Structure formats: structure tokens, C-alpha cells
Amino acid sequence: MNGPGDPPEGTPEGPQGGGDEEYRSVVFDESFVRAARLQEFSARERMDDHAPAVRTRHAWARVSASRQVLLLVVLIALAFGTAVYMGLRHPYKEPKPPAAEALRIALVPLAPRDPVPGAPAAKDLFDNGPAARLRDGAEGVTLPAARRTQNFSESLVMAALATAKEYTVKSALDPGVLVGGNQRAVRLLLAPSQLEQFDRSFSRSADDGQHAATGWLVRFDPGQVSLADRTVRSQGTFTVVEASPAALEVSSDHTFVYALRPAAKAGPADVSLFTVRRVMRFRFDRDDLQEHHVQVLQSQTQAGPESCSADDASFLRPLFAGEKATTEGPAGTDPYATGTMTAGLCGTLSPAAQPTPPRH
């Protein structure tokens, strides 16, 4: 009988010992391998006791790559659409500014009852009449203290006031605008929505309440009028209110006094004064404040001495020293007064608004 260490076929033939003797216990010869019992588990045993040969893949893994990409795109689109919808429905979204309005213009010439006073020098007239209490140039166009509103910071309120002042100075005090016919400096300040109306007012001026050039700025015909003194006397106020959560409105009420001479008259001519009172209303939305623009909503102008028949849509038509108006208005009007402006097609220039020429 074979021993416990012998192979089933008995002890193999061959020399005993030698160099291979020490490896005999771990070497399997051919008879040992043939005698080895091979056992294969049944299907039930493999299911119950052993892990399956093929792993089960997750449902997501069974989806093809192209379908995964498509599904991912759909999910991103849904997320983006939800975000946009929530943004549009947000109760605290930024309010839209009011739609731009066309400028509404009212021009009232003031006709004097008596001949227009004159003097050799502008100072003689400035210092002997109601213009004496006015200041020189932009010094009379002063700004109030800026205070924040419910929806606009103090800095934005100040920006609106500063732009309104810049428009006022350039449209009523700049000599190049007054008699030079150069309106570009004023145009650059306007919101783009008003540029078409502005250009139409200068290319085809009309006294229709919307297209008078003199509603946008103070303007004299350089062929008829010259400035006797480049210094203009001025006085007035600004007020600011929050018209809506999206817009500020600034109102201005200013009086300007100009020293004029006829441009075409030969030889020296006496100086006369011409007074303009302008009440204007400006609007600023947030885009206007950022871009340094202004919307001019309303312009009311009283100007004299003029004849009631003067066509002042293109230029203001002053009467010079010694001239009289061909017609008079219905009542006396003082352009130096404050408060509500009197409406009408023409007014009579109050004698109190005229200077007293010095006696020589």
C-alpha cells in the first residue's frame, strides 16, 4: 500500500535523491494531475453560494452615452428656464422707467406798453432796475442740498441736479448757443429718445407746442442781434422729487437778463435789456444718470420786450432801445416774479420789469 506521501500510481521510477529531492513534496507529476478530482458547482450552488460571474450594471450605466448627453442638456435647459421664470416673477425686481415723452413747449411773448428803455452801457441798465438783484452768469444757477429719496441715493440725486444745472447753463448762458447757432453742446446732453424731436425743432421749427427751437434753448438770430455784454444776469431755483421708483424729476424756475444791441445797425446803438423766464421740468431714469443724459419734458418761456406778433419758434425777436410793440397783450406780466407762470398767447411786459435809464 502506498504511503500518505506517495502518488496514486506508486513511487515513480528513477534515481533517488539528488538535487531534486528537496522539491519532491511540491512537484505534481502527470499521474497526480490526472487523478485530481475536478468539481464544478451546480447552477443553484453558484447562485446561492457564489458571486455571479457577470456583475449587474446600474440602470444609468445601461443608457448609451449619447442619451446621457441628451438627458443632461434637457436638465440644464429646465434649470435655466426655471431660473429665468423665477427672476421674471420676483416681487422685488427693478421697476421699468416710464416711457420717454415728447417735450411740451409754451412760448409767451411779453409786449411793452412804452418804448424800450436804452443806455450806452449795459451796466447802466443792469444796476438801475430789477436785474440789479440778480447774479452774474452761472453764479445765479445754484443747486439745493441733495437728499436721498426712497429709491435713489444722495449721490444719484446730486447727479440729477448737476445735469439739470449743466443743461440750464449751456442752453441759456453760453454765448456760442445764444447768438452762434451752435446747439451741439445742448444736444449732447439729451436722452437718445428725444434727439429726433430736437433735430426736427431746428430743421423745421414750428409753433405747434413741440417743435419750437426756443423751447429747448435761448436763441437769437445772429444776423439781427448781438450781445452788448457777454455777462448774463441770472436767478432761480431747482427742486427735485421722486416721480416713481424708477425716475427722478427736477423742476427749474429761472430768470435771465441779456444786454443786447441790433447787429445790423450802422454806428453805435444803445443797449437794451431782454428778459427771459424759463420754467422747465426734467426727468432722469437710472440709465440717464449713468450716461449723463436728461429728458426735457416741459418748457414754459416768457420773454420780452417782444411784439405779440413775433414769430419766436426759430429765434426770440427782441425789441431794441426806443422801439415799441405793434400790439399789446391782455395783462401786465412780470418775468421776475416767482410762482405759477401765467399761461396765454401773449402778455404785457410790466413796467416794473423794465430798467430805469440813468439821467445825463
Side-chain angles (χ1 to χ4, degrees), residues 270-314:
D270 280 350
V271 178
S272 61
L273 298 185
F274 188 80
T275 305
V276 175
R277 182 186 173 193
R278 298 173 79 202
V279 175
M280 306 195 74
R281 186 162 60 95
F282 308 99
R283 176 180 291 164
F284 301 86
D285 59 35
R286 295 184 186 275
D287 289 339
D288 294 328
L289 294 172
Q290 182 178 0
E291 298 170 7
H292 197 59
H293 286 154
V294 58
Q295 302 174 43
V296 189
L297 302 184
Q298 189 171 14
S299 173
Q300 295 177 277
T301 302
Q302 293 177 343
E306 278 190 316
S307 292
C308 287
S309 59
D311 178 13
D312 53 6
S314 299

Side-chain angles (χ1 to χ4, degrees), residues 101-107 194 197 208-212 215-216 249 279-281 283 296-301:
E101 300 178 13
L103 170 62
R104 301 189 301 275
I105 300 170
L107 301 170
Q194 290 194 310
Q197 183 187 8
D208 59 0
Q210 289 191 334
H211 298 100
W216 299 93
E249 286 192 1
V279 175
M280 306 195 74
R281 186 162 60 95
R283 176 180 291 164
V296 189
L297 302 184
Q298 189 171 14
S299 173
Q300 295 177 277
T301 302

Side-chain angles (χ1 to χ4, degrees), residues 72-315:
L72 184 61
V73 170
V74 171
L75 290 175
I76 293 174
L78 287 175
F80 181 76
T82 303
V84 171
Y85 175 78
M86 294 300 294
L88 293 175
R89 300 283 295 176
H90 198 284
Y92 303 106
K93 64 182 178 180
E94 187 73 17
K96 293 182 179 180
E101 300 178 13
L103 170 62
R104 301 189 301 275
I105 300 170
L107 301 170
V108 181
L110 302 179
R113 292 193 178 99
D114 302 316
V116 176
K123 183 174 172 38
D124 296 334
L125 299 177
F126 279 142
D127 295 343
N128 291 279
R133 65 177 183 264
L134 275 60
R135 303 173 73 176
D136 290 346
E139 294 179 2
V141 186
T142 57
L143 294 177
R147 294 181 176 85
R148 66 167 294 118
T149 65
Q150 183 176 357
N151 295 285
F152 289 86
S153 65
E154 180 179 322
S155 61
L156 291 177
V157 173
M158 177 53 69
L161 287 168
T163 306
K165 175 178 179 177
E166 184 178 357
Y167 184 96
T168 300
V169 170
K170 289 185 175 180
S171 65
L173 298 177
D174 185 349
V177 172
L178 296 175
V179 293
N182 180 15
Q183 65 268 14
R184 176 175 171 77
V186 177
R187 189 182 189 275
L188 289 174
L189 291 174
L190 291 175
S193 58
Q194 290 194 310
L195 293 180
E196 182 179 355
Q197 183 187 8
F198 181 85
D199 294 339
R200 163 75 169 77
S201 299
F202 288 86
S203 62
R204 295 189 301 257
S205 298
D207 189 11
D208 59 0
Q210 289 191 334
H211 298 100
T214 46
W216 299 93
L217 47 82
V218 177
R219 189 179 189 227
F220 303 105
D221 185 350
Q224 303 294 324
V225 181
S226 64
L227 295 175
D229 193 321
R230 293 174 67 88
T231 299
V232 179
R233 296 289 178 95
S234 63
Q235 174 182 275
T237 59
F238 291 97
T239 57
V240 59
V241 296
E242 183 178 303
S244 74
L248 290 171
E249 286 192 1
V250 176
S251 297
S252 68
D253 187 346
H254 289 84
T255 297
F256 305 97
V257 184
Y258 306 89
L260 307 176
R261 281 194 178 100
K265 190 171 183 178
D270 280 350
V271 178
S272 61
L273 298 185
F274 188 80
T275 305
V276 175
R277 182 186 173 193
R278 298 173 79 202
V279 175
M280 306 195 74
R281 186 162 60 95
F282 308 99
R283 176 180 291 164
F284 301 86
D285 59 35
R286 295 184 186 275
D287 289 339
D288 294 328
L289 294 172
Q290 182 178 0
E291 298 170 7
H292 197 59
H293 286 154
V294 58
Q295 302 174 43
V296 189
L297 302 184
Q298 189 171 14
S299 173
Q300 295 177 277
T301 302
Q302 293 177 343
E306 278 190 316
S307 292
C308 287
S309 59
D311 178 13
D312 53 6
S314 299
F315 299 100

